[in-house]
mmCIF file of all heavy atoms in Angstrom:
data_model
loop_
_atom_site.group_PDB
_atom_site.id
_atom_site.type_symbol
_atom_site.label_atom_id
_atom_site.label_comp_id
_atom_site.label_asym_id
_atom_site.label_seq_id
_atom_site.Cartn_x
_atom_site.Cartn_y
_atom_site.Cartn_z
ATOM 1 N N LYS A 9 -8.577 13.433 6.025
ATOM 2 C CA LYS A 9 -9.350 14.649 6.255
ATOM 3 C C LYS A 9 -8.404 15.846 6.283
ATOM 4 O O LYS A 9 -7.217 15.724 6.568
ATOM 5 C CB LYS A 9 -10.097 14.533 7.582
ATOM 6 C CG LYS A 9 -11.120 13.409 7.617
ATOM 7 C CD LYS A 9 -11.793 13.344 8.973
ATOM 8 C CE LYS A 9 -12.798 12.191 9.025
ATOM 9 N NZ LYS A 9 -13.441 12.083 10.350
ATOM 10 N N GLU A 10 -8.972 17.014 6.021
ATOM 11 C CA GLU A 10 -8.141 18.217 6.008
ATOM 12 C C GLU A 10 -7.478 18.440 7.364
ATOM 13 O O GLU A 10 -6.323 18.834 7.452
ATOM 14 C CB GLU A 10 -8.982 19.432 5.631
ATOM 15 C CG GLU A 10 -8.161 20.700 5.476
ATOM 16 C CD GLU A 10 -9.007 21.855 4.978
ATOM 17 O OE1 GLU A 10 -10.074 21.594 4.402
ATOM 18 O OE2 GLU A 10 -8.583 23.003 5.177
ATOM 19 N N SER A 11 -8.206 18.154 8.446
ATOM 20 C CA SER A 11 -7.630 18.279 9.780
ATOM 21 C C SER A 11 -6.893 17.003 10.139
ATOM 22 O O SER A 11 -7.409 15.902 9.990
ATOM 23 C CB SER A 11 -8.736 18.534 10.811
ATOM 24 O OG SER A 11 -8.201 18.473 12.119
ATOM 25 N N SER A 12 -5.656 17.114 10.602
ATOM 26 C CA SER A 12 -4.857 15.935 10.935
ATOM 27 C C SER A 12 -4.997 15.532 12.397
ATOM 28 O O SER A 12 -4.362 14.600 12.851
ATOM 29 C CB SER A 12 -3.384 16.201 10.608
ATOM 30 O OG SER A 12 -2.938 17.342 11.316
ATOM 31 N N TYR A 15 -1.969 14.297 15.429
ATOM 32 C CA TYR A 15 -0.606 14.506 14.943
ATOM 33 C C TYR A 15 -0.286 15.991 14.808
ATOM 34 O O TYR A 15 0.814 16.435 15.076
ATOM 35 C CB TYR A 15 -0.390 13.795 13.610
ATOM 36 C CG TYR A 15 -0.367 12.291 13.720
ATOM 37 C CD1 TYR A 15 -1.349 11.515 13.112
ATOM 38 C CD2 TYR A 15 0.640 11.654 14.435
ATOM 39 C CE1 TYR A 15 -1.327 10.136 13.213
ATOM 40 C CE2 TYR A 15 0.667 10.271 14.535
ATOM 41 C CZ TYR A 15 -0.326 9.516 13.929
ATOM 42 O OH TYR A 15 -0.306 8.158 14.037
ATOM 43 N N GLU A 16 -1.271 16.763 14.385
ATOM 44 C CA GLU A 16 -1.057 18.210 14.270
ATOM 45 C C GLU A 16 -0.786 18.817 15.635
ATOM 46 O O GLU A 16 0.095 19.679 15.788
ATOM 47 C CB GLU A 16 -2.279 18.867 13.644
ATOM 48 C CG GLU A 16 -2.132 20.378 13.501
ATOM 49 C CD GLU A 16 -3.352 21.028 12.875
ATOM 50 O OE1 GLU A 16 -4.193 20.297 12.306
ATOM 51 O OE2 GLU A 16 -3.455 22.257 12.968
ATOM 52 N N ARG A 17 -1.510 18.345 16.646
ATOM 53 C CA ARG A 17 -1.318 18.891 17.993
ATOM 54 C C ARG A 17 0.035 18.497 18.567
ATOM 55 O O ARG A 17 0.663 19.270 19.293
ATOM 56 C CB ARG A 17 -2.452 18.428 18.909
ATOM 57 C CG ARG A 17 -3.797 19.052 18.568
ATOM 58 C CD ARG A 17 -4.843 18.754 19.637
ATOM 59 N NE ARG A 17 -5.187 17.342 19.673
ATOM 60 C CZ ARG A 17 -6.110 16.790 18.900
ATOM 61 N NH1 ARG A 17 -6.771 17.530 18.013
ATOM 62 N NH2 ARG A 17 -6.397 15.496 18.991
ATOM 63 N N PHE A 19 2.867 18.078 16.996
ATOM 64 C CA PHE A 19 3.975 18.827 16.394
ATOM 65 C C PHE A 19 3.659 20.308 16.169
ATOM 66 O O PHE A 19 4.530 21.063 15.761
ATOM 67 C CB PHE A 19 4.362 18.190 15.050
ATOM 68 C CG PHE A 19 4.919 16.811 15.183
ATOM 69 C CD1 PHE A 19 4.118 15.692 14.954
ATOM 70 C CD2 PHE A 19 6.241 16.613 15.554
ATOM 71 C CE1 PHE A 19 4.636 14.417 15.079
ATOM 72 C CE2 PHE A 19 6.763 15.336 15.675
ATOM 73 C CZ PHE A 19 5.959 14.227 15.440
ATOM 74 N N ASN A 20 2.383 20.692 16.429
ATOM 75 C CA ASN A 20 1.953 22.063 16.157
ATOM 76 C C ASN A 20 2.290 22.458 14.718
ATOM 77 O O ASN A 20 2.782 23.539 14.440
ATOM 78 C CB ASN A 20 2.593 23.050 17.142
ATOM 79 C CG ASN A 20 1.943 24.423 17.067
ATOM 80 O OD1 ASN A 20 0.752 24.544 16.750
ATOM 81 N ND2 ASN A 20 2.718 25.475 17.330
ATOM 82 N N CYS A 21 2.033 21.517 13.819
ATOM 83 C CA CYS A 21 2.354 21.739 12.409
ATOM 84 C C CYS A 21 1.317 20.988 11.571
ATOM 85 O O CYS A 21 1.303 19.741 11.562
ATOM 86 C CB CYS A 21 3.765 21.244 12.093
ATOM 87 S SG CYS A 21 4.218 21.378 10.349
ATOM 88 N N LYS A 22 0.451 21.717 10.903
ATOM 89 C CA LYS A 22 -0.643 21.102 10.160
ATOM 90 C C LYS A 22 -0.137 20.208 9.036
ATOM 91 O O LYS A 22 -0.617 19.076 8.848
ATOM 92 C CB LYS A 22 -1.559 22.182 9.595
ATOM 93 C CG LYS A 22 -2.778 21.619 8.873
ATOM 94 C CD LYS A 22 -3.718 22.735 8.455
ATOM 95 C CE LYS A 22 -4.954 22.144 7.776
ATOM 96 N NZ LYS A 22 -5.924 23.209 7.396
ATOM 97 N N GLU A 23 0.847 20.692 8.258
ATOM 98 C CA GLU A 23 1.346 19.919 7.119
ATOM 99 C C GLU A 23 1.963 18.601 7.568
ATOM 100 O O GLU A 23 1.733 17.548 6.948
ATOM 101 C CB GLU A 23 2.378 20.733 6.330
ATOM 102 C CG GLU A 23 1.825 21.967 5.661
ATOM 103 C CD GLU A 23 1.871 23.194 6.581
ATOM 104 O OE1 GLU A 23 2.102 23.007 7.794
ATOM 105 O OE2 GLU A 23 1.690 24.313 6.078
ATOM 106 N N LEU A 24 2.741 18.646 8.643
ATOM 107 C CA LEU A 24 3.341 17.421 9.155
ATOM 108 C C LEU A 24 2.268 16.495 9.719
ATOM 109 O O LEU A 24 2.338 15.268 9.550
ATOM 110 C CB LEU A 24 4.368 17.753 10.237
ATOM 111 C CG LEU A 24 5.131 16.577 10.860
ATOM 112 C CD1 LEU A 24 5.814 15.742 9.790
ATOM 113 C CD2 LEU A 24 6.139 17.085 11.884
ATOM 114 N N GLY A 25 1.282 17.086 10.354
ATOM 115 C CA GLY A 25 0.176 16.282 10.887
ATOM 116 C C GLY A 25 -0.563 15.522 9.810
ATOM 117 O O GLY A 25 -0.897 14.342 9.961
ATOM 118 N N ILE A 26 -0.820 16.199 8.691
ATOM 119 C CA ILE A 26 -1.520 15.545 7.577
ATOM 120 C C ILE A 26 -0.676 14.410 6.993
ATOM 121 O O ILE A 26 -1.187 13.327 6.692
ATOM 122 C CB ILE A 26 -1.870 16.587 6.487
ATOM 123 C CG1 ILE A 26 -2.943 17.542 7.008
ATOM 124 C CG2 ILE A 26 -2.336 15.895 5.214
ATOM 125 C CD1 ILE A 26 -3.241 18.701 6.086
ATOM 126 N N LEU A 27 0.619 14.659 6.834
ATOM 127 C CA LEU A 27 1.500 13.626 6.282
ATOM 128 C C LEU A 27 1.527 12.394 7.187
ATOM 129 O O LEU A 27 1.420 11.257 6.709
ATOM 130 C CB LEU A 27 2.915 14.186 6.109
ATOM 131 C CG LEU A 27 3.971 13.208 5.574
ATOM 132 C CD1 LEU A 27 3.562 12.647 4.217
ATOM 133 C CD2 LEU A 27 5.332 13.892 5.484
ATOM 134 N N LEU A 28 1.649 12.613 8.491
ATOM 135 C CA LEU A 28 1.689 11.483 9.419
ATOM 136 C C LEU A 28 0.339 10.770 9.496
ATOM 137 O O LEU A 28 0.287 9.557 9.708
ATOM 138 C CB LEU A 28 2.129 11.952 10.805
ATOM 139 C CG LEU A 28 3.580 12.436 10.883
ATOM 140 C CD1 LEU A 28 3.896 12.970 12.274
ATOM 141 C CD2 LEU A 28 4.551 11.314 10.528
ATOM 142 N N SER A 29 -0.733 11.506 9.309
ATOM 143 C CA SER A 29 -2.056 10.872 9.251
ATOM 144 C C SER A 29 -2.155 9.935 8.053
ATOM 145 O O SER A 29 -2.757 8.854 8.136
ATOM 146 C CB SER A 29 -3.150 11.937 9.163
ATOM 147 O OG SER A 29 -3.227 12.683 10.352
ATOM 148 N N ILE A 210 7.873 20.789 3.751
ATOM 149 C CA ILE A 210 7.310 21.522 4.895
ATOM 150 C C ILE A 210 8.361 22.497 5.421
ATOM 151 O O ILE A 210 9.458 22.084 5.819
ATOM 152 C CB ILE A 210 6.880 20.534 6.001
ATOM 153 C CG1 ILE A 210 5.839 19.545 5.447
ATOM 154 C CG2 ILE A 210 6.324 21.270 7.212
ATOM 155 C CD1 ILE A 210 5.517 18.386 6.375
#
Side-chain angles (χ1 to χ4, degrees):
K9 297 179 181 178
E10 185 175 339
S11 172
S12 57
Y15 290 115
E16 180 180 346
R17 291 190 293 274
F19 295 99
N20 192 30
C21 176
K22 184 174 182 178
E23 295 89 347
L24 182 55
I26 291 173
L27 178 58
L28 293 176
S29 293
I210 301 170

